[in-house]
Amino acid sequence: YDIIFDESINIEVENNIIKVKNEKVLNKWYSNKIHEIFKERLDFYYNKFDENIPYPILKIRTMKTRWGVCNKRDNSVTLNSKLIEYNIEALDYVIIHELSHFVHFNHSKEFWMLVSKYNPNYKQIKKYLKEE
């Protein structure tokens, strides 16, 4: 996107151009957009799971060493906000990976079989995320 700052406009997105009042408004819009996309993908895969898992609270934050975290204590999934910079397959893989931890809270053979049930291509995506 090209970004144009214009005090007379709150925010307008059209033809790969974002016209926005200031950086604060832009960051708020960007944060909301990330949450909207991540929640949509989380809901999509949660509804695909045959296994009985709790509906997780979605948390989004920037993390240096992880793409996602499953917390069984508070039934939450935390996703790295940097995933927005990758293709949708990478985001989907991380969501499936974290949801699978509600069934197998480890990286056992059974865990990876569950991941592959919902994402047969997971090994290539996992490799792609490690290379970046």
Side-chain angles (χ1 to χ4, degrees):
Y1 289 92
D2 289 324
I3 299 169
I4 299 169
F5 291 102
D6 182 341
E7 283 293 322
S8 68
I9 296 168
N10 196 41
I11 189 151
E12 211 174 82
V13 182
E14 190 177 312
N15 299 329
N16 293 333
I17 297 171
I18 299 173
K19 292 180 184 175
V20 63
K21 185 175 194 160
N22 54 41
E23 200 168 340
K24 184 179 176 186
V25 173
L26 177 65
N27 290 338
K28 179 79 173 148
W29 174 83
Y30 188 63
S31 176
N32 288 339
K33 198 53 124 170
I34 290 170
H35 193 274
E36 178 185 311
I37 292 166
F38 285 17
K39 175 118 175 55
E40 181 182 297
R41 301 310 295 168
L42 176 68
D43 289 348
F44 178 81
Y45 281 102
Y46 174 80
N47 289 320
K48 280 202 171 299
F49 261 63
D50 297 325
E51 295 71 20
N52 185 20
I53 60 173
Y55 182 79
I57 298 163
L58 175 61
K59 298 177 182 179
I60 300 167
R61 65 186 182 93
T62 303
M63 296 182 273
K64 290 185 181 192
T65 60
R66 295 177 170 197
W67 291 115
V69 177
C70 171
N71 186 327
K72 287 177 81 167
R73 280 192 318 276
D74 70 356
N75 290 331
S76 70
V77 166
T78 304
L79 299 174
N80 191 329
S81 61
K82 292 180 182 174
L83 281 166
I84 199 69
E85 299 169 14
Y86 294 83
N87 61 35
I88 199 76
E89 289 83 11
L91 173 60
D92 290 349
Y93 159 70
V94 174
I95 289 170
I96 291 165
H97 182 112
E98 299 312 328
L99 290 177
S100 295
H101 277 310
F102 283 111
V103 179
H104 301 285
F105 202 63
N106 54 41
H107 288 112
S108 64
K109 185 178 179 182
E110 293 78 15
F111 168 81
W112 290 112
M113 284 173 57
L114 182 59
V115 171
S116 72
K117 174 181 174 181
Y118 297 103
N119 192 333
N121 203 23
Y122 82 87
K123 286 181 183 176
Q124 287 99 324
I125 299 164
K126 187 177 170 191
K127 186 179 176 196
Y128 162 70
L129 283 170
K130 280 188 177 171
E131 291 170 354
E132 292 300 314

